[in-house]
């Protein structure tokens, strides 16, 4: 059952009505490249069902979602040759899409990400974006073996 919210950007992606650069999906969750990445490889992980915040997520889904967060953190780190990751959830305050999503952002020391002043880094072009998407998907496949 998908309690679909037609006006919700991430429900539209979760139900394949709007395209996205998907790196991972299963029956309960979907992960795709952020359209305005902090850095290339910035991924968003969502439950397929529409829950607004982490607090709204049924307990039974928290474990599986955190396991996928860990998978994505490993894959993004490996795919982008990053030193670490930043994992974040905006719950209502600063939340621009009211469908729970976990940000997985590759980090390097002195990469300029400080506090709430976050410079955005667009992909050079479509092929650069595709290469990053492919690299993350490949790393996920390796990790799932
Ligand atoms: P937040 O501000 O925490 O709610 O994050 C929402 C994120 O969703 C932002 O980083 C946006 O760049 C991203 N975003 C919005 N619409 C889309 C979309 N259609 N596809 C991919 N990312 C999106
Ligand atoms: Zn939604």
């Amino acid at each position: 059952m998908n309690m679909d919210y037609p006006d919700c950007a991430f429900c539209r992606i979760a139900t394949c009505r709007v395209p996205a650069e998907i790196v991972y999906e299963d029956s309960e969750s979907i992960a795709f490249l952020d359209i305005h990445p902090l850095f290339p490889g910035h991924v968003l992980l969502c439950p397929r069902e529409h829950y607004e915040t982490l607090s709204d997520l049924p307990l039974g889904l928290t474990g599986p979602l955190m396991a996928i967060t860990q998978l994505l953190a490993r894959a993004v780190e490996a795919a982008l040759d990053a030193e670490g990751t930043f994992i974040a959830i905006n719950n209502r305050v600063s939340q621009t899409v009211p469908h729970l999503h976990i940000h997985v952002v590759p980090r390097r020391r002195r990469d300029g990400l400080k506090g709430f002043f976050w410079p955005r880094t667009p992909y050079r072009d479509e092929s650069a974006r595709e290469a990053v998407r492919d690299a993350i998907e490949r790393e996920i496949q390796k990790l799932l073996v």
Side-chain angles (χ1 to χ4, degrees), residues 5 10 15 35 45 64 76 96 118 125-127 129 140 142:
Y5 288 62
F10 293 169
T15 53
I35 203 164
L45 171 64
V76 165
T96 56
W118 291 355
D125 54 28
E126 210 173 301
S127 71
R129 191 183 63 211
I140 290 172
K142 277 195 243 165

Side-chain angles (χ1 to χ4, degrees), residues 3-143:
M3 291 298 288
D4 189 19
Y5 288 62
D7 293 335
C8 170
F10 293 169
C11 279
R12 286 200 285 259
I13 289 174
T15 53
C16 301
R17 277 174 289 148
V18 161
E21 299 289 344
I22 296 166
V23 298
Y24 175 86
E25 57 186 324
D26 60 31
S27 58
E28 286 170 345
S29 61
I30 183 162
F32 48 89
L33 295 182
D34 192 297
I35 203 164
H36 297 303
L38 292 168
F39 302 111
H42 180 169
V43 165
L44 301 175
L45 171 64
C46 300
R48 278 189 190 276
E49 294 280 342
H50 183 96
Y51 301 108
E52 183 171 345
T53 70
L54 183 62
S55 302
D56 302 318
L57 190 69
L59 191 57
L61 294 182
T62 58
L65 210 63
M66 185 49 76
I68 304 303
T69 303
Q70 185 190 57
L71 175 77
L72 290 170
R74 288 175 176 166
V76 165
E77 231 179 271
L80 280 300
D81 197 26
E83 292 174 59
T85 50
F86 173 57
I87 310 294
I89 302 173
N90 285 317
N91 291 295
R92 284 191 286 271
V93 177
S94 293
Q95 185 178 7
T96 56
V97 180
H99 180 137
L100 173 64
H101 48 282
I102 301 174
H103 295 261
V104 179
V105 182
R107 291 294 318 269
R108 287 189 184 79
R109 288 174 185 82
R110 295 179 294 283
D111 59 15
L113 190 65
K114 12 182 166 98
F116 292 101
F117 182 68
W118 291 355
R120 298 282 167 149
T121 310
Y123 291 93
R124 192 181 61 245
D125 54 28
E126 210 173 301
S127 71
R129 191 183 63 211
E130 270 306 309
V132 169
R133 195 210 70 83
D134 290 348
I136 295 172
E137 190 181 44
R138 265 198 311 278
E139 292 300 331
I140 290 172
Q141 293 308 325
K142 277 195 243 165
L143 290 163

